[in-house]
């Protein structure tokens, strides 16, 4: 694995998941990352991604540099050939080149702007770092994906499942802000690669990118989708069709105990942070079906497995 930008960078998902579950048991392999530095750049806020990735790197013996580039760094230019006489002080060519002098692996978080779909889909930030850094790049959530979350979600389901092929339902829920499709995109991509029966449910005009959904069934009737579910993944996203728009805030889509009763006593998942009583009710989050804390705990082992793979490709210099 050269970089970890999206799920297609993984050569063998099952062995990567196996590795993460093994790391959860054995905890650490400190020699591998000794003398190596992970640089983490955040254009947006973070709690779990920042701390679990830092912890994972340290468990592997790495040094960690963290910078909130969105607030503390120079405004970056990504356009090739730009005449830089505006407010952008530094080009990605220099920024990525210089960071590669200080870091052995660079990890970046850059959410979509949710205004221009074509622009977001170009992944200018992530691809800029990939192109101009001379070291591996990890995606800490970009415009269209969150592969460390997707990997965590897959390993959490494999860890908790009680039947060979569980029914997994991804359900949309309301939210006061327009959120990226990154988390649901990655969730769908990972679920399509493991042995589960995946169903997506969302209101009309909230269907995810058809290139991601492929032949996964999409139901616009939430109750019908939830029947017999073994896992329910609750998540809001803004419209893909009417890109970045909030078209629906219908509280009847909130995941509550009444909805839980339709399922097969499902485990309830969410990537967090979660808006209580808007996305998921207190009763469900505080009840025994919720696995959101264990799920977040697994972020460390997913990050450790990915870092271990990338460290394995570096020389000893
Ligand atoms: C982000 C998202 O992609 O949905 C990050 C999730 C890991 N979530 C938010 O930005 C939530 C912000 C809010 O105001 O609730």
């Amino acid at each position: 694995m050269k970089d970890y930008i999206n799920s297609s960078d993984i050569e063998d998902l099952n062995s990567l998941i196996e590795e993460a579950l093994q790391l959860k048991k054995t905890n650490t392999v400190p020699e591998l990352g000794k003398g190596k530095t992970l640089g983490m750049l955040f254009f947006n806020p973070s709690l779990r991604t920042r701390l679990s990735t830092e912890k994972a790197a340290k468990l592997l013996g790495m040094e960690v540099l963290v910078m909130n580039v969105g607030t503390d760094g120079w405004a970056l230019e990504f356009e090739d050939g730009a005449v830089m006489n505006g407010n952008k002080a530094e080009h990605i060519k220099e920024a990525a080149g210089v960071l590669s002098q200080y870091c052995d692996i660079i990890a970046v978080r850059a959410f979509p702007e949710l205004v221009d779909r074509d622009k977001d889909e170009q992944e200018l930030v992530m691809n800029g770092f990939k192109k101009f850094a001379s070291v591996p790049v990890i995606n800490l959530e970009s415009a269209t994906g969150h592969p460390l979350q997707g990997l965590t979600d897959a390993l959490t389901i494999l860890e908790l499942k009680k039947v060979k092929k569980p029914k997994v339902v991804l359900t949309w829920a309301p939210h006061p802000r327009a959120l990226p499709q990154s988390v649901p995109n990655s969730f769908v991509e990972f679920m399509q690669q493991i042995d589960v029966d995946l169903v997506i449910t969302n209101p009309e005009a909230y269907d995810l990118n058809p290139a991601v959904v492929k032949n996964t069934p999409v139901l616009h009737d939430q109750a019908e989708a939830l029947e017999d579910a073994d896992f329910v993944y609750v998540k809001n996203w803004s419209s893909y069709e009417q890109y970045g728009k909030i078209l629906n805030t219908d509280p009847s889509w909130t995941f509550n105990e009444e909805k839980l009763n339709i399922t097969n006593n499902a485990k309830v998942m969410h990537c967090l942070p979660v808006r209580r009583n808007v996305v998921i009710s207190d009763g469900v989050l505080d009840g025994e079906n919720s696995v959101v804390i264990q799920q977040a705990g697994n972020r460390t082992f997913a990050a450790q497995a990915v870092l271990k793979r990338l460290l394995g490709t570096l020389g000893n210099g």
Side-chain angles (χ1 to χ4, degrees):
M1 193 156 75
K2 267 184 75 240
D3 299 281
Y4 191 68
I5 307 273
N6 58 52
S7 58
S8 63
D9 288 317
I10 304 171
E11 285 122 32
D12 180 354
L13 177 59
N14 285 314
S15 84
L16 189 64
I17 291 173
E18 204 39 61
E19 174 122 63
L21 290 170
Q22 202 53 41
L23 284 160
K24 185 170 182 171
K25 283 195 201 116
T26 58
N27 218 3
T28 178
V29 205
E31 331 58 73
L32 198 60
K34 212 160 168 256
K36 304 289 185 202
T37 300
L38 170 69
M40 290 201 283
L41 306 179
F42 289 89
F43 289 89
N44 314 95
S46 176
L47 178 89
R48 279 148 292 276
T49 298
R50 175 167 170 171
L51 297 180
S52 64
T53 309
E54 176 163 353
K55 179 168 175 178
K58 287 180 171 167
L59 285 169
L60 292 165
M62 299 184 83
E63 300 290 332
V64 181
L65 301 175
V66 187
M67 186 168 174
N68 292 321
V69 274
T71 51
D72 301 346
W74 301 109
L76 291 183
E77 177 63 65
F78 291 89
E79 217 65 58
D80 200 24
V83 177
M84 291 172 58
N85 60 359
N87 55 5
K88 296 192 179 148
E90 178 148 36
H91 201 278
I92 181 67
K93 292 185 184 182
E94 281 76 42
V98 169
L99 284 159
S100 305
Q101 303 287 308
Y102 307 151
C103 305
D104 300 281
I105 298 176
I106 298 173
V108 182
R109 164 165 284 192
F111 288 177
E113 289 170 0
L114 293 174
V115 177
D116 178 342
R117 187 163 90 183
D118 289 341
K119 186 170 174 226
D120 283 347
E121 289 188 336
Q122 285 174 36
E123 292 278 15
L124 285 178
V125 181
M126 212 53 61
N127 286 332
F129 277 99
K130 181 173 164 163
K131 186 162 179 198
F132 297 113
S134 56
V135 299
V137 176
I138 297 179
N139 179 349
L140 300 174
E141 187 172 347
S142 69
T144 63
H146 192 354
L148 283 173
Q149 184 67 52
L151 178 59
T152 302
D153 299 335
L155 81 89
T156 304
I157 287 173
L158 295 183
E159 184 181 38
L160 292 171
K161 72 173 187 171
K162 295 212 178 77
V163 292
K164 189 171 175 296
K165 189 172 185 176
K167 176 173 175 183
V168 176
V169 177
L170 168 64
T171 180
W172 181 91
H175 197 286
R177 290 177 58 201
L179 298 188
Q181 294 103 28
S182 316
V183 170
N185 282 347
S186 288
F187 184 73
V188 170
E189 284 169 9
F190 277 83
M191 289 306 111
Q192 286 167 344
Q193 292 180 66
I194 64 171
D195 195 19
V196 299
D197 176 14
L198 176 66
V199 174
I200 306 171
T201 180
N202 54 256
E204 303 273 353
Y206 274 93
D207 289 4
L208 292 163
N209 183 352
V212 172
V213 174
K214 299 196 176 101
N215 51 11
T216 297
V218 179
L219 301 181
H220 295 144
D221 180 335
Q222 191 192 37
E224 185 189 343
L226 290 171
E227 268 172 42
D228 301 321
D230 299 298
F231 291 88
V232 179
Y233 199 95
V234 191
K235 182 72 186 86
N236 169 266
W237 58 88
S238 58
S239 175
Y240 181 76
E241 289 169 26
Q242 293 180 51
Y243 190 68
K245 296 275 185 302
I246 300 177
L247 306 172
N248 189 329
T249 52
D250 181 359
S252 75
W253 279 82
T254 300
F255 193 80
N256 58 22
E257 284 149 299
E258 195 187 312
K259 307 283 172 62
L260 184 59
N261 285 336
I262 307 173
T263 70
N264 180 28
N265 195 24
K267 302 284 184 217
V268 179
M269 302 174 70
H270 189 283
C271 62
L272 307 180
V274 64
R275 302 284 190 126
R276 281 178 170 256
N277 304 311
V278 178
V279 175
I280 305 179
S281 70
D282 279 341
V284 171
L285 280 169
D286 297 333
E288 58 192 27
N289 292 68
S290 169
V291 296
V292 298
I293 304 298
Q294 178 176 341
Q295 182 187 354
N298 282 339
R299 291 291 307 271
T300 303
F301 312 109
Q304 226 180 326
V306 167
L307 284 168
K308 203 175 157 211
R309 285 273 164 106
L310 294 176
L311 283 169
T313 68
L314 301 177
N316 288 324

